[in-house]
Amino acid sequence: MSKSVLVNLVADLGFATRCKLAEMGYGARMMARLLALTGPVFARFGLIRDQIFFLGNYSLAIITVSGLFVGFVLGLQSYYALQRYGSSEALGLLVALALVRELGPVITALLFAGRAGTALTAEIGLMKAGEQLSAMEMMAVDPVRRILAPRFWGGVIAMPLLAAVFSAVGIVGGWVVGVLMIGVDAGAFWSQMQSGVDVWRDVGNGIVKSFVFGVTVTFIALFQGFEAQPTPEGVARATTRTVVLASLAVLGLDFVLTALMFSV
């Protein structure tokens, strides 16, 4: 390898690293700005309410159906695993812990990224491509305060609610398979669940996870849309990046949060 090729390789690597660091710094500044706008945005709660409806209500169908089938599969697989050890009465406890601790927040966040996250990125990207954001700046209207902040808090609030719906429907699905189809005692199913699930340690940790995932997914979607190239191809690439980055961030944060929560 010649000296000039090596120099160009190092220069390209340094340029790419500098661009990524600049992008991370800009993202941190935008997050700080969104958090600083919390008070003014909540003063006009109607804007947040509309976004909760848009992001939460329109994602409710896929969340409910997915939660039901996940509960079906979880109940069936858990029963055959517990039956080997004569502990089939603990089916309700296993289903509830798996859903409220892990599957509920994680799968909901992944579905939320695919449904609501892409919608947010496409919406903001198309507004940028249509120069609507630039027009708002020309009229002395801050697009971050008027457009991004309500959508950010709408997604943050909607995510824990959707995760709770997913877990509740999943438990019902596990009950249908375990009690109605297989024949597990209904009293044992519910009593084991009630005695074994701790409100703060299990349900509380699931709520914390869903809140963190909501912040992460919503911010990634908004940032990718706001920084998208103002072309149809740029908006399409930004939408794809939203799904990829949000999914990887959710899975990585899930490991970190689980390690922190259950090691204390």
Side-chain angles (χ1 to χ4, degrees):
M1 182 180 294
S2 63
K3 183 177 179 180
S4 60
V5 174
L6 182 60
V7 170
N8 291 333
L9 180 62
V10 174
D12 293 340
L13 180 61
F15 179 74
T17 304
R18 188 183 69 176
C19 291
K20 288 298 180 184
L21 291 175
E23 184 179 356
M24 292 173 60
Y26 184 71
R29 289 173 55 194
M30 180 174 288
M31 172 62 80
R33 192 175 179 188
L34 289 173
L35 295 177
L37 290 172
T38 301
V41 171
F42 274 88
R44 301 181 63 184
F45 190 75
L47 299 176
I48 301 178
R49 179 199 59 210
D50 294 340
Q51 296 306 315
I52 293 174
F53 175 81
F54 173 73
L55 299 174
N57 186 59
Y58 290 170
S59 303
L60 190 60
I62 187 173
I63 294 295
T64 303
V65 174
S66 300
L68 186 63
F69 282 104
V70 168
F72 287 163
V73 175
L74 187 60
L76 195 62
Q77 295 283 3
S78 300
Y79 174 77
Y80 290 126
L82 293 172
Q83 192 181 30
R84 296 182 180 181
Y85 307 100
S87 303
S88 58
E89 293 82 6
L91 177 63
L93 175 61
L94 181 58
V95 169
L97 288 178
L99 285 169
V100 300
R101 280 185 178 182
E102 192 69 27
L103 294 179
V106 172
I107 297 181
T108 302
L110 295 177
L111 295 173
F112 188 79
R115 169 59 182 86
T118 54
L120 284 175
T121 302
E123 183 183 16
I124 302 300
L126 290 174
M127 292 178 69
K128 185 176 182 181
E131 298 185 350
Q132 297 179 37
L133 300 181
S134 300
M136 294 180 66
E137 292 178 348
M138 292 294 294
M139 294 186 294
V141 177
D142 185 5
V144 176
R145 178 172 180 170
R146 180 61 180 81
I147 301 298
L148 267 64
R151 286 163 174 77
F152 174 75
W153 285 110
V156 171
I157 295 173
M159 177 66 201
L161 300 176
L162 293 173
V165 171
F166 185 96
S167 299
V169 175
I171 291 173
V172 173
W175 172 80
V176 170
V177 171
V179 176
L180 299 184
M181 295 178 59
I182 298 177
V184 176
D185 182 69
F189 183 93
W190 294 111
S191 63
Q192 290 274 356
M193 183 190 306
Q194 292 174 357
S195 61
V197 177
D198 185 75
V199 175
W200 298 110
R201 183 172 178 81
D202 299 321
V203 179
N205 287 344
I207 294 174
V208 171
K209 279 187 177 183
S210 62
F211 179 80
V212 173
F213 295 160
V215 172
T216 304
V217 172
T218 309
F219 175 74
I220 289 175
L222 293 174
F223 183 75
Q224 292 299 324
F226 196 71
E227 289 299 300
Q229 294 294 325
T231 61
E233 294 82 5
V235 175
R237 286 195 295 268
T239 304
T240 303
R241 285 197 303 269
T242 294
V243 178
V244 175
L245 294 177
S247 301
L248 293 176
V250 165
L251 296 176
L253 285 173
D254 178 55
F255 170 74
V256 174
L257 291 174
T258 301
L260 292 175
M261 289 174 177
F262 295 102
S263 63
V264 178

